Amino acid sequence: MVLVRVPALSGVCTITLASLLAWAGQPAPLLAQTGVLPLSQTLAQSPDSSSTLPDGGNQTPEGDEITDFRPLSQDTSLLSLEGGQRLLESAALAMDRQDYTTAQKDLQNARLAFNQISNFHQQLFDLFLGIDPRVADRQRLSAVESAQLRDEAAYRLALAHLAQNQPDVTVPLLIQVIRSQNPTSSLGQQAHQNLFNLGFMDSPPPALAQGNAADLVTPSPGPTEGTAGETAAADDRPLARSDSALSVAAGRRMMQEAEMALADRNYSLTVEKFKDARQVFNQLSNFYEGLSAAFRGIYTDIAETERMRAVETAQLRDEVTYQLALVHRVQNQSELAVPLLIQVLQSQNPSSELGQQAYQQLLELGFVDTPYRWQGVTGVR
């Protein structure tokens, strides 16, 4: 095969495109619409016809729009901002007609798409940082833009779950929005307000003073403030009620049910209830820790409150984990008890009382050989 290079011929690319289209079986009218000329007409053009275009034919006539036909630039692609925004619009229509199932599906897909796009642009930013600042900065801006859309989709998804009375799914989404957005942003404050309305947080978001984002207005007391009796009587928010499934009260209730089943030697029910309680306390601890991290350095009081709650629920989780390990030991299931006891040690620290008890159980099971002697404590715990 001999390749012939035609120098300074403006129609070289169009000839190749025309050949490809003809080979693909495209009809002649389509070639005319795309502006591709047959080879004979291209060669018949005046050699100086490109002189009307100072830049050698690279200019676009005024008034004409350049359309991007690349695959990922189309709104039909899920891996594009246009595709994700199309899903957001579809979800909004579904919410208007109260079709929450369709809305949740579209919002979840949009959230996943925006999250992927943001992560990919962030990776490209890291790769080009220090090599090509222009490319790196463009990728950074794209990562921020898609992350903003991801958080908006997550917030709308939380509202869709809230409309169906699903607080256990709503709470983690709202917390993710706050952690990503910053509690002082508009979207972060909206998420905070919804957590307060649900009863998961004790105070509403501090309002930003008008005209100065640095000045904070002290929030008004919420319904959970005041005496314990007033709080129980006044607070009717979903997650603040005693029958809420996502609360410390719910976890304690499951612990009591497990102890009752254990008294009846119903070990299968005991294990089930302890596992349920452990999951609730673990979820709560993670949620509170996430909020504490988000508010740390911004609203100190809120951050400290959430930190203390995280510690309290983690302690309850470890106590349930220890009790669950004992039940497995009674059932002669040492292989299930050992990992639970090690988890307690990792969370509690070997010097804590619960950590010492967990190590003692490992010693009695024969998993460790060296007794743990702690100072100031004698006797068997």
Side-chain angles (χ1 to χ4, degrees):
M1 178 181 295
V2 179
L3 298 178
V4 180
R5 186 183 299 276
V6 183
L9 184 61
S10 61
V12 171
C13 291
T14 57
I15 293 170
T16 305
L17 180 58
S19 303
L20 289 173
L21 291 173
W23 174 80
Q26 297 287 358
L30 180 58
L31 298 179
Q33 292 173 7
T34 57
V36 178
L37 299 178
L39 177 59
S40 58
Q41 295 184 32
T42 303
L43 295 177
Q45 287 182 343
S46 173
D48 59 351
S49 61
S50 61
S51 61
T52 57
L53 299 176
D55 295 335
N58 293 330
Q59 291 187 353
T60 302
E62 188 176 355
D64 290 352
E65 294 183 357
I66 300 178
T67 304
D68 193 347
F69 290 107
R70 294 176 298 171
L72 295 182
S73 299
Q74 310 304 309
D75 61 1
T76 55
S77 170
L78 281 180
L79 199 63
S80 66
L81 297 184
E82 292 79 7
Q85 288 170 335
R86 177 172 53 82
L87 288 172
L88 290 181
E89 294 172 0
S90 173
L93 294 175
M95 287 288 288
D96 290 340
R97 61 177 184 268
Q98 297 185 348
D99 183 1
Y100 299 120
T101 302
T102 300
Q104 290 172 4
K105 180 180 177 181
D106 288 341
L107 290 169
Q108 181 65 17
N109 288 333
R111 178 169 169 257
L112 291 174
F114 290 137
N115 188 57
Q116 278 189 317
I117 295 170
S118 179
N119 290 339
F120 290 156
H121 284 301
Q122 181 62 40
Q123 291 171 11
L124 288 172
F125 166 74
D126 294 337
L127 289 171
F128 282 93
L129 187 63
I131 298 176
D132 190 328
R134 181 181 57 87
V135 175
D137 189 59
R138 184 68 187 90
Q139 298 307 313
R140 181 186 64 82
L141 293 175
S142 296
V144 171
E145 179 184 6
S146 48
Q148 177 68 28
L149 289 170
R150 175 202 62 203
D151 294 341
E152 291 177 6
Y155 179 73
R156 296 187 191 183
L157 181 59
L159 296 185
H161 284 299
L162 186 59
Q164 290 192 296
N165 194 26
Q166 298 172 333
D168 55 326
V169 187
T170 303
V171 168
L173 289 169
L174 294 174
I175 293 175
Q176 289 173 17
V177 170
I178 293 177
R179 296 196 65 178
S180 175
Q181 283 285 307
N182 191 313
T184 60
S185 69
S186 175
L187 196 59
Q189 290 187 359
Q190 293 177 53
H192 184 169
Q193 182 65 46
N194 276 278
L195 286 175
F196 171 72
N197 294 341
L198 281 169
F200 195 79
M201 298 185 68
D202 286 344
S203 59
L208 293 178
Q210 216 170 17
N212 188 356
D215 296 332
L216 300 178
V217 178
T218 303
S220 303
T224 55
E225 297 184 3
T227 65
E230 294 172 348
T231 298
D235 197 351
D236 195 37
R237 296 175 296 168
L239 296 181
R241 293 196 295 260
S242 59
D243 59 349
S244 168
L246 190 65
S247 64
V248 173
R252 291 186 182 278
R253 186 167 59 249
M254 294 172 187
M255 290 179 66
Q256 292 175 356
E257 293 172 356
E259 291 169 357
M260 292 173 61
L262 181 60
D264 294 335
R265 298 185 181 276
N266 188 345
Y267 296 124
S268 60
L269 182 59
T270 302
V271 169
E272 178 185 344
K273 291 299 181 179
F274 272 142
K275 283 184 176 180
D276 290 342
R278 180 169 175 258
Q279 181 178 357
V280 169
F281 290 137
N282 189 57
Q283 279 186 317
L284 289 172
S285 180
N286 290 336
F287 293 160
Y288 290 138
E289 178 58 33
L291 286 173
S292 177
F295 285 95
R296 191 175 299 130
I298 301 175
Y299 302 132
T300 306
D301 293 345
I302 297 178
E304 180 62 17
T305 297
E306 301 306 322
R307 187 191 70 81
M308 293 301 296
R309 286 182 166 181
V311 171
E312 176 190 358
T313 48
Q315 177 68 29
L316 291 170
R317 175 201 63 204
D318 295 342
E319 291 176 5
V320 172
T321 303
Y322 179 75
Q323 294 297 327
L324 181 58
L326 294 185
V327 175
H328 284 310
R329 182 181 176 184
V330 170
Q331 292 180 288
N332 197 27
Q333 297 174 332
S334 302
E335 68 281 0
L336 298 179
V338 167
L340 294 173
L341 294 170
I342 292 177
Q343 287 176 20
V344 172
L345 277 164
Q346 289 176 329
S347 175
Q348 284 286 308
N349 191 311
S351 61
S352 69
E353 181 177 357
L354 194 57
Q356 293 169 13
Q357 293 175 7
Y359 187 85
Q360 181 64 30
Q361 290 294 323
L362 289 174
L363 182 64
E364 293 176 5
L365 286 170
F367 190 78
V368 295
D369 297 328
T370 308
Y372 177 39
R373 297 184 178 87
W374 51 91
Q375 295 182 350
V377 180
T378 58
V380 179
R381 289 183 175 271

